[in-house]
Amino acid sequence: ATWHHWGDYIGPAQLIAAGALPLVDIPLQYGFGPSLILTQGCKINCWSSMYWFTSLSSIAMVYLLAAIALKLNRSRSTLQICFVLIIVMASCLLWTQYPPTVGSPLSTPSTTGVRFLPGIIMLAYTLHRSYSVDLQYSSEKIGHILWLACIIWSPEAGIQSTAVWVPYFIWTRTFKNIGENNVVNFFRTIALLLTILLLGLAIFAVVFQFIFGSWPLPKEYIIYLLNVPGSMPINPNGTVWFAIACLMCWLIGFLFSQRKPLDIKFNRASWLIALLCLANFTYFLGRSHDNNILNLMPYLTLVLFATRAIIPAGAIKALTTTLLSATLGFVMIFGWALFTNLK
């Protein structure tokens, strides 16, 4: 199964290296960015390049998620910091691979940083900017560049980054400045975002044509969004309820926190994290396999950390703490019944 997962990346890279035009002759299931990086790596060795690409992107993913989780953790005690780091590592390195397989992120690259790192980088930058006291308009350029880079990287990264950056940018430009004409600012901001998007895509198309001698085809870019491989109906008795429980905890906690916010920065961070989690949840809705919820554990645990950060006490905080504890304890027994009848 590992080679099958790797082949989805290496196959297109080898075709491009052999002369096929990406987004013209062949569609790219996991996006233009990964395929182009591996094409360069194939000049040395495709499999070794895939190994390093997957390893480094997974390390970066764990590092950023751990940094965000620690930022949300109000306690500075060594014990709590250790628990936060252990939970993040378990959700990124164990749950995403299906615990009974005792695999590593290298086994299924599409469940780790190769696929989700761009959206996490977008979230990390947006959170960093939202924590700043003075929002400089010059820093918006970095956000726009990251947004466009994610869209070019892959359709999924584009969805994830759009879900985070666009609402945040509209909020900072429209609703933060009390007393101004919000309706005019809203439509002006939408027009600005559309202009930036169209200009960025036009520049990409021109550069693509200059390098490959052909124009990229939009249908090849979105073909896997329109035709999801292995689509399945949602299991009403499956792991989807864990995801729903996490998101409902956040929603209830966020609504209650609006009455008397503990810290506006934590509230702002929580809805940015929830936006990324909802965007990544489309990955499950597209294929709807129970195991895909396990692949989303890093983002669900991040939502739980965010929920704990915005409410002082009560049943919701107790429930989120229980769910976080379960992500660590249950990993040791989840699915092992499959092996009880082996002889």
Side-chain angles (χ1 to χ4, degrees), residues 54-65:
T54 306
S55 300
L56 294 176
S57 61
S58 298
I59 291 171
M61 170 184 167
V62 174
Y63 174 81
L64 287 176
L65 289 177

Side-chain angles (χ1 to χ4, degrees), residues 34 58 66 90 113 138 142 149 171 176 185 197 230 233 287 318 321 343:
S58 298
S138 59
I142 300 175
W171 175 81
K176 191 181 180 184
N185 283 341
L197 175 62
R287 192 161 179 269
T321 303
K343 295 182 180 180

Side-chain angles (χ1 to χ4, degrees), residues 36-88:
L36 204 63
I37 290 175
L38 287 174
T39 299
Q40 299 304 310
C42 281
K43 295 178 181 179
I44 303 174
N45 185 288
C46 289
W47 298 96
S48 297
S49 300
M50 185 66 190
Y51 174 86
W52 284 105
F53 184 32
T54 306
S55 300
L56 294 176
S57 61
S58 298
I59 291 171
M61 170 184 167
V62 174
Y63 174 81
L64 287 176
L65 289 177
I68 294 171
L70 288 175
K71 192 75 173 178
L72 295 169
N73 184 41
R74 293 180 179 276
S75 173
R76 296 290 93 187
S77 71
T78 303
L79 184 61
Q80 281 210 18
I81 290 174
C82 288
F83 271 120
V84 169
L85 293 177
I86 292 172
I87 289 172
V88 170

Side-chain angles (χ1 to χ4, degrees), residues 46-271:
C46 289
W47 298 96
S48 297
S49 300
M50 185 66 190
Y51 174 86
W52 284 105
F53 184 32
T54 306
S55 300
L56 294 176
S57 61
S58 298
I59 291 171
M61 170 184 167
V62 174
Y63 174 81
L64 287 176
L65 289 177
I68 294 171
L70 288 175
K71 192 75 173 178
L72 295 169
N73 184 41
R74 293 180 179 276
S75 173
R76 296 290 93 187
S77 71
T78 303
L79 184 61
Q80 281 210 18
I81 290 174
C82 288
F83 271 120
V84 169
L85 293 177
I86 292 172
I87 289 172
V88 170
M89 292 181 68
S91 64
C92 293
L93 303 179
L94 297 178
W95 280 110
T96 55
Q97 308 311 311
Y98 189 67
T101 64
V102 198
S104 76
L106 300 181
S107 303
T108 53
S110 14
T111 65
T112 55
V114 174
R115 190 175 199 167
F116 294 106
L117 182 60
I120 296 171
I121 293 175
M122 185 81 257
L123 174 66
Y125 173 75
T126 309
L127 288 175
H128 171 73
R129 192 171 184 274
S130 69
Y131 272 86
S132 300
V133 177
D134 184 20
L135 296 179
Q136 299 292 333
Y137 284 127
S138 59
S139 66
E140 292 177 352
K141 297 177 182 178
I142 300 175
H144 293 318
I145 292 172
L146 284 175
W147 177 42
L148 293 173
C150 288
I151 292 173
I152 294 170
W153 182 266
S154 73
E156 286 179 319
I159 293 172
Q160 296 158 17
S161 62
T162 299
V164 174
W165 178 248
V166 170
Y168 172 76
F169 183 71
I170 292 174
W171 175 81
T172 56
R173 280 295 189 96
T174 304
F175 301 108
K176 191 181 180 184
N177 299 319
I178 301 174
E180 297 185 7
N181 192 329
N182 288 339
V183 175
V184 174
N185 283 341
F186 175 79
F187 286 106
R188 187 182 297 163
T189 304
I190 293 294
L192 176 61
L193 287 169
L194 288 175
T195 302
I196 292 170
L197 175 62
L198 294 175
L199 182 60
L201 293 178
I203 293 173
F204 168 71
V206 171
V207 173
F208 186 97
Q209 206 281 336
F210 178 78
I211 295 174
F212 295 101
S214 183
W215 297 101
L217 301 177
K219 68 176 183 178
E220 298 294 333
Y221 177 83
I222 63 173
I223 190 169
Y224 281 103
L225 293 179
L226 300 178
N227 303 277
V228 179
S231 180
M232 300 173 63
I234 296 176
N235 178 10
N237 301 315
T239 54
V240 65
W241 290 106
F242 179 82
I244 292 174
C246 294
L247 294 171
M248 287 303 297
C249 281
W250 170 80
L251 180 60
I252 296 172
F254 184 78
L255 292 176
F256 273 104
S257 70
Q258 298 308 296
R259 298 179 179 179
K260 189 177 180 181
L262 292 177
D263 191 324
I264 191 64
K265 291 185 294 185
F266 284 104
N267 279 25
R268 194 183 304 156
S270 76
W271 69 261

